[in-house]
Amino acid sequence: MKLDKALLASYLAFNLVDASKSPDCINGPLANSLPCDTKESPAARAAALVEALNITEKLGNLVDMSLGAERIGLPAYAWWNEALHGVAASPGVSFNQAGEEFSHATSFANTITLAAAFDNDLVYEVADTISTEARAFSNAELAGLDYWTPNINPYKDPRWGRGHETPGEDPVHIKGYVKALLEGLEGKDKIRKVIATCKHFAAYDLERWQGIVRYRFNAVVTSQDLSEYYLPPFQQCARDSKVGSFMCSYNALNGTPACASTYLMDDILRKHWNWTEHNNYITSDCNAIQDFLPNFHNFSQTPAQAAAAAYNAGTDTVCEVPGYPPLTDVIGAYNQSLVSEETIDRALLRLYEGLIRAGYLDSASPHPYTEISWSQVNTPRAQALALQSATDGMVLLKNNGLLPLDLTNKTVALIGHWANATRQMLGGYSGTPPYYANPVYAATQLNLSFHYAPGPVNQSSPPPNDTWTSPALSAASKSDIIIYLGGTDLSIAAEDRDRDSISWPSAQLALLTSLSQLGKPVIVARLGDQVDDTPLLSNNNISAILWAGYPGQSGGTALFDIITGNKSPAGRLPVTVYPADYTSQIPLTEMSLRPGEDRPGRTYRWYPSPVLPFGHGLHYTTFTAKFGVFESLTINIGDLLASCEETYKDLCPFPQVSVWASNAGERKSDYVALVFVRGEYGPEPYPIKTLVGYKRIRDIEPGTTGAAPVGVVVGDLARVDLGGNRVLFPGRYEFVLDVEGGEQDGVKDKVVIELVGDQVVLEEFPQPPAEV
């Protein structure tokens, strides 16, 4: 049967205003039907719902603004909801006017800052609070039940504009973050609290760089790098955390657009990782299917062919940016017999089973999540968590002894572009927070005497119209302490905006140089992404450097908590800080991690000479730390695996690794234990070292010792061969505690473990299809 487009046009007139409304299972047409019967399985309920739809209605529900089916009482539904670090603006989420209920939601520190805390328990608490607020919005019919978050692509190059949306550069760290985050977002009950979406699958880390755009980019990735680096966070989502949804990415992978790749979506995701237990769904990134056409990937020649390629490969719904026609041509694909009704039904079954598992058709059978209301949004507990997420994630990069600082009877100069910022503190994918506690606000709350002056962001030096140097020098001349609040923001690096330079913006560096020559203590608090701090690290007139990332609604309060010593810094860099000339040595488009004859390596595993290393972070106290007693210094691989009952051998626990951290200083502080391994085993080249576990040990009082186990699994000790197979090799494994660096952050302890016996393949990686 051919579908008449004119017929669908009348169907499109169905009102989308109520796109967050849930079906009425009490008095509506679906009442007393199988889809509303909570005693039946979600799969059976979804199947009955899809069966009740005619083909016109089915095709109208295959994009993110699903039209529903008024005939059977199925409302329209907006699949595109966002909640990266709090309920966020998106087509499916509505905020009411200021002063009304649901006019705001808690804005936590953005991902890169929260990840710098290296605390999975904190990540869980933040995510659990976000999902509570998301449910409140959904119950008020102001949002949906599924959220297209988190972004878990590894942040391997500092130029990528969306890196701050991710937990950083290391796959093991990202996996730990993701596991905790998904437990908080989706909950642990039979009914999903919300549906989370792991994105962007896969090998996506380019926006718009030197004329190359993400919509056309073909990421050429070896099986070794794909398995070892780009996919482990997604494996955590699918195989181990069983997340409800995935998003396929804009880029092509080795010649095939990700949203048309059966290798990614079927061979790896659904079959190899067994992501089939709950009939989960995949959405495309927004307008990604249009990118199959000749102007972009040139994979499909017509919109109908593009739609068919996506749905046939396993994409279940298509995100479309409002106001950017044409719509995905699912009608043409169906009319031309390029996509079958069976494939359409498969997609709809996945979509609606996901919603049913989140309680979408449970209005006649209320559960605790349906009781969540406005009273549970922006609670005192949420506000405290927002502040903690910022404070715990701040990283002390340099300190000549000035910090912590008693500001009693001191006058402070607050200079720079985020001193009195609002949305600049939030970063990307943000909602409307209840307030902006920026540095000016925080200083006011502390009753500090201060002078404020704005500053440049990305202006050049010398600028044609310098409006900031004179006010800044005036404020500084009247102050005892200078706090410079600079760095980058979304005008420099963001979605659809990559960087060319990773140097300090020249106008900011010139202003900082002038301020540092005044003979007064200068503290630099850096917003945004990493830049080459060499000029500041080597400038003896710069007393301290703090990195805040994107700290959220309470960024200024968190900053002063650290500066004054109300809280002690313990965050660690989740990325490598590279020298400025790194960008001239390797293009952003190069996907390889290992060094080659014409390129340096990437990330701390392969790059030997950073400005500041991954894991760097200073304290206000002195820690001596060591490993606890290892059960054995020689371990037989066969015996180790034989005693393991895990379904997947890479998840077998390594004998307990514990860390004891003693506070030899005078201030209470947390300590982040970072456990690496290094050694010459497996395929060459050998990585410099590899993170295998981490743990934040909290509130270690002066003169006391904090101890904690650090979970390590054998899959993270393994190496990946050229075919992408994960192999545990015999050899000499040196366990290293903490990072190389200065006196305060040098390696604390080393232990050598010998693994003996035969090598074992822990995971056989699916091989890509042979080239035609």
Side-chain angles (χ1 to χ4, degrees):
M1 149 184 177
K2 276 196 172 183
L3 183 66
D4 185 351
K5 291 190 178 182
L7 179 64
L8 185 66
S10 63
Y11 180 55
L12 286 172
F14 181 52
N15 191 351
L16 286 177
V17 172
D18 293 327
S20 301
K21 194 171 184 177
S22 298
D24 184 354
C25 283
I26 301 173
N27 299 309
L30 287 171
N32 302 315
S33 68
L34 196 156
C36 286
D37 187 352
T38 57
K39 297 183 179 65
E40 293 288 341
S41 70
R45 296 170 69 190
L49 182 65
V50 173
E51 186 178 3
L53 300 173
N54 61 41
I55 188 60
T56 305
E57 293 162 341
K58 288 177 180 179
L59 292 173
N61 285 284
L62 282 177
V63 293
D64 64 307
M65 294 298 288
S66 292
L67 301 175
E70 190 174 19
R71 177 183 61 86
I72 67 168
L74 181 66
Y77 183 80
W79 295 87
W80 184 355
N81 303 271
E82 298 284 358
L84 179 67
H85 60 114
V87 177
S90 46
V93 175
S94 297
F95 286 89
N96 288 331
Q97 293 183 352
E100 298 179 3
E101 292 186 352
F102 295 100
S103 59
H104 57 261
T106 310
S107 183
F108 298 90
N110 216 311
T111 309
I112 196 70
T113 302
L114 177 58
F118 281 84
D119 187 340
N120 294 346
D121 293 335
L122 176 61
V123 172
Y124 170 82
E125 292 294 336
V126 167
D128 183 51
T129 306
I130 290 172
S131 61
T132 294
E133 297 194 0
R135 266 287 178 171
F137 271 76
S138 177
N139 291 339
E141 299 185 351
L142 294 170
L145 290 170
D146 71 303
Y147 288 81
W148 290 351
T149 193
N151 180 346
I152 59 169
N153 297 107
Y155 186 12
K156 78 173 190 305
D157 191 293
R159 289 166 285 188
W160 183 31
R162 298 184 71 176
H164 77 275
E165 298 174 25
T166 79
E169 71 180 37
D170 181 74
V172 170
H173 180 212
I174 300 173
K175 286 194 301 180
Y177 181 100
V178 165
K179 180 180 179 181
L181 188 88
L182 294 182
E183 287 179 354
L185 289 177
E186 296 201 328
K188 303 174 183 179
D189 298 326
K190 182 179 179 181
I191 296 172
R192 275 199 172 103
K193 198 174 182 188
V194 301
I195 304 167
T197 303
C198 289
K199 64 185 187 184
H200 310 81
F201 191 56
Y204 168 63
D205 56 8
L206 177 144
E207 302 297 307
R208 186 179 298 271
W209 180 78
Q210 298 189 0
I212 302 167
V213 296
R214 54 185 174 170
Y215 316 111
R216 293 190 183 97
F217 179 56
N218 177 35
V220 178
V221 185
T222 65
S223 292
Q224 187 177 42
D225 282 338
L226 192 64
S227 173
E228 179 182 72
Y229 189 71
Y230 293 101
L231 291 189
F234 293 99
Q235 182 185 68
Q236 175 64 52
C237 285
R239 190 193 72 180
D240 303 327
S241 293
K242 305 183 190 305
V243 70
S245 174
F246 260 58
M247 176 183 283
C248 52
S249 55
Y250 286 118
N251 58 281
L253 176 67
N254 297 329
T256 302
C259 294
S261 174
T262 55
Y263 176 59
L264 278 176
M265 295 190 290
D266 194 47
D267 294 348
I268 294 177
L269 177 56
R270 288 193 164 108
K271 291 176 180 173
H272 181 57
W273 292 339
N274 195 31
W275 193 61
T276 56
E277 181 180 348
H278 288 165
N279 206 19
N280 309 288
Y281 84 83
I282 300 174
T283 178
S284 78
D285 207 335
C286 298
N287 292 2
I289 307 311
Q290 296 177 37
D291 299 338
F292 293 6
L293 298 176
N295 286 345
F296 294 97
H297 290 304
N298 195 25
F299 184 79
S300 304
Q301 297 306 300
T302 69
Q305 291 174 352
Y311 287 106
N312 289 332
T315 303
D316 300 306
T317 188
V318 174
C319 174
E320 294 183 331
V321 178
Y324 286 83
L327 296 175
T328 304
D329 193 6
V330 293
I331 300 171
Y334 175 74
N335 283 343
Q336 296 169 41
S337 300
L338 299 176
V339 64
S340 67
E341 188 167 2
E342 180 182 10
T343 297
I344 293 166
D345 287 351
R346 180 186 69 182
L348 291 171
L349 284 168
R350 290 169 175 166
L351 290 164
Y352 284 105
E353 183 174 333
L355 284 183
I356 288 168
R357 289 186 179 277
Y360 183 61
L361 286 164
D362 291 359
S363 58
S365 304
H367 48 80
Y369 293 150
T370 64
E371 303 302 317
I372 296 174
S373 66
W374 170 244
S375 66
Q376 290 169 266
V377 177
N378 188 37
T379 63
R381 170 62 175 156
Q383 293 178 8
L385 269 176
L387 175 59
Q388 184 183 355
S389 69
T391 307
D392 288 359
M394 287 191 180
V395 182
L396 182 61
L397 304 179
K398 175 185 178 179
N399 187 20
N400 67 1
L402 177 70
L403 298 182
L405 186 61
D406 184 356
L407 294 176
T408 304
N409 299 321
K410 297 285 196 310
T411 299
V412 178
L414 299 178
I415 299 169
H417 71 259
W418 77 277
N420 200 27
T422 55
R423 296 195 67 83
Q424 277 178 306
M425 296 194 300
L426 307 185
Y429 285 82
S430 301
T432 303
Y435 49 75
Y436 296 101
N438 58 36
V440 165
Y441 170 86
T444 302
Q445 294 300 109
L446 291 172
N447 294 315
L448 295 180
S449 173
F450 68 91
H451 300 284
Y452 160 69
V457 184
N458 202 27
Q459 290 87 343
S460 60
S461 180
N465 297 301
D466 183 343
T467 61
W468 53 83
T469 299
S470 178
L473 292 177
S474 175
S477 67
K478 295 180 285 188
S479 304
D480 302 306
I481 306 292
I482 300 168
I483 302 178
Y484 181 78
L485 299 127
T488 69
D489 65 9
L490 296 184
S491 70
I492 294 175
E495 184 166 6
D496 205 34
R497 182 181 294 123
D498 294 319
R499 290 190 285 174
D500 285 319
S501 171
I502 57 172
S503 299
W504 266 87
S506 59
Q508 291 194 49
L509 190 58
L511 178 57
L512 262 172
T513 301
S514 297
L515 293 171
S516 69
Q517 293 171 349
L518 296 178
K520 299 183 179 185
V522 178
I523 301 164
V524 175
R526 179 153 56 73
L527 193 77
D529 293 309
Q530 300 300 330
V531 292
D532 181 355
D533 281 316
T534 299
L536 308 189
L537 293 168
S538 60
N539 184 342
N540 291 330
N541 295 323
I542 302 291
S543 302
I545 307 172
L546 275 160
W547 173 70
Y550 288 101
Q553 67 185 39
S554 296
T557 304
L559 177 67
F560 272 100
D561 275 349
I562 295 292
I563 288 174
T564 62
N566 186 43
K567 298 289 184 181
S568 295
R572 302 296 190 106
L573 284 176
V575 290
T576 298
V577 178
Y578 296 90
D581 65 356
Y582 176 82
T583 60
S584 65
Q585 299 172 27
I586 186 169
L588 183 56
T589 51
E590 174 60 58
M591 303 300 290
S592 297
L593 279 297
R594 289 162 176 75
E597 293 183 2
D598 58 347
R599 66 175 186 271
R602 279 196 156 109
T603 79
Y604 74 93
R605 297 187 75 224
W606 305 105
Y607 187 77
S609 51
V611 172
L612 291 170
F614 170 91
H616 174 81
L618 305 179
H619 302 93
Y620 287 163
T621 189
T622 301
F623 281 107
T624 59
K626 63 180 181 178
F627 288 116
V629 178
F630 280 78
E631 295 179 10
S632 174
L633 299 181
T634 301
I635 299 174
N636 183 279
I637 292 174
D639 293 342
L640 175 63
L641 298 178
S643 61
C644 173
E645 297 181 356
E646 294 285 344
T647 302
Y648 302 103
K649 293 302 181 185
D650 59 291
L651 295 180
C652 293
F654 192 76
Q656 180 172 313
V657 178
S658 60
V659 172
W660 300 344
S662 299
N663 186 345
E666 298 179 353
R667 286 186 172 270
K668 180 174 73 172
S669 178
D670 298 352
Y671 174 76
V672 172
L674 301 175
V675 178
F676 300 89
V677 295
R678 59 190 179 195
E680 297 183 354
Y681 45 85
E684 296 187 42
Y686 306 119
I688 298 166
K689 61 181 178 181
T690 301
L691 184 73
V692 294
Y694 60 91
K695 180 71 175 179
R696 187 172 182 125
I697 307 172
R698 289 198 168 270
D699 298 327
I700 306 173
E701 296 282 353
T704 68
T705 297
V710 179
V712 176
V713 296
V714 297
D716 295 333
L717 296 174
R719 297 289 311 285
V720 175
D721 65 20
L722 293 177
N725 304 305
R726 195 167 293 271
V727 184
L728 186 61
F729 290 95
R732 183 180 185 272
Y733 290 67
E734 185 178 37
F735 281 70
V736 179
L737 179 60
D738 224 316
V739 297
E740 286 89 351
E743 291 182 2
Q744 290 192 61
D745 64 338
V747 166
K748 300 291 194 296
D749 198 9
K750 304 174 186 178
V751 173
V752 173
I753 303 292
E754 291 282 350
L755 293 188
V756 299
D758 296 330
Q759 68 185 50
V760 174
V761 177
L762 301 175
E763 178 190 11
E764 291 187 7
F765 190 66
Q767 295 305 295
E771 294 185 10
V772 179

